[in-house]
């Protein structure tokens, strides 16, 4: 989802900014995006809450999830940001 209004002359710069932010995300970030998409507009009930909590918990305990949490706590970028910023 992109929401921006820019002058035609500024379009390339805006696209570069958006892509650079997108590239800083974890490789499995699409799974989180998928979760948001799947639960949006659903009626809130215990099954939805349990399923969502389980999916989030699995992400947090994954290798990538742990790295992201540790990087956040140490105020350092995770490895996937370091790798993508070098490109």
């Amino acid at each position: 989802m992109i929401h921006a209004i820019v002058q035609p002359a500024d379009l390339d710069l805006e696209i570069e900014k958006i892509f650079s932010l997108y590239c800083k995300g974890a490789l499995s970030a699409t799974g989180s995006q998928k979760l948001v998409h799947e639960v949006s507009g659903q009626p809130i009930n215990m099954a939805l809450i349990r399923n969502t909590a389980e999916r989030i918990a699995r992400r947090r305990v994954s290798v990538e999830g742990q790295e992201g949490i540790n990087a956040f706590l140490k105020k350092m970028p995770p490895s996937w940001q370091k790798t993508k910023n070098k490109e």
Side-chain angles (χ1 to χ4, degrees):
M1 298 182 294
I2 298 174
H3 299 268
I5 298 173
V6 297
Q7 295 298 320
D10 299 327
L11 185 58
D12 287 340
L13 180 60
E14 187 67 22
I15 290 170
E16 285 181 34
K17 287 193 310 189
I18 291 167
F19 279 126
S20 73
L21 290 173
Y22 179 76
C23 290
K24 289 181 179 180
L27 298 176
S28 68
T30 54
S32 300
Q33 294 166 352
K34 181 179 177 184
L35 173 62
V36 170
H37 178 72
E38 288 175 4
V39 301
S40 292
Q42 296 294 319
I44 298 174
N45 56 45
M46 288 309 295
L48 179 70
I49 292 169
R50 270 195 285 283
N51 179 272
T52 302
E54 288 171 7
R55 290 171 70 177
I56 291 170
R58 282 194 302 271
R59 290 251 181 237
R60 286 185 177 172
V61 298
S62 71
V63 172
E64 193 174 71
Q66 288 295 294
E67 180 182 350
I69 291 169
N70 288 327
F72 173 78
L73 294 174
K74 293 176 182 176
K75 298 182 185 338
M76 297 174 58
S79 65
W80 59 83
Q81 283 187 2
K82 292 175 190 173
T83 301
K84 289 183 178 182
N85 285 338
K86 289 180 184 176
E87 294 176 355

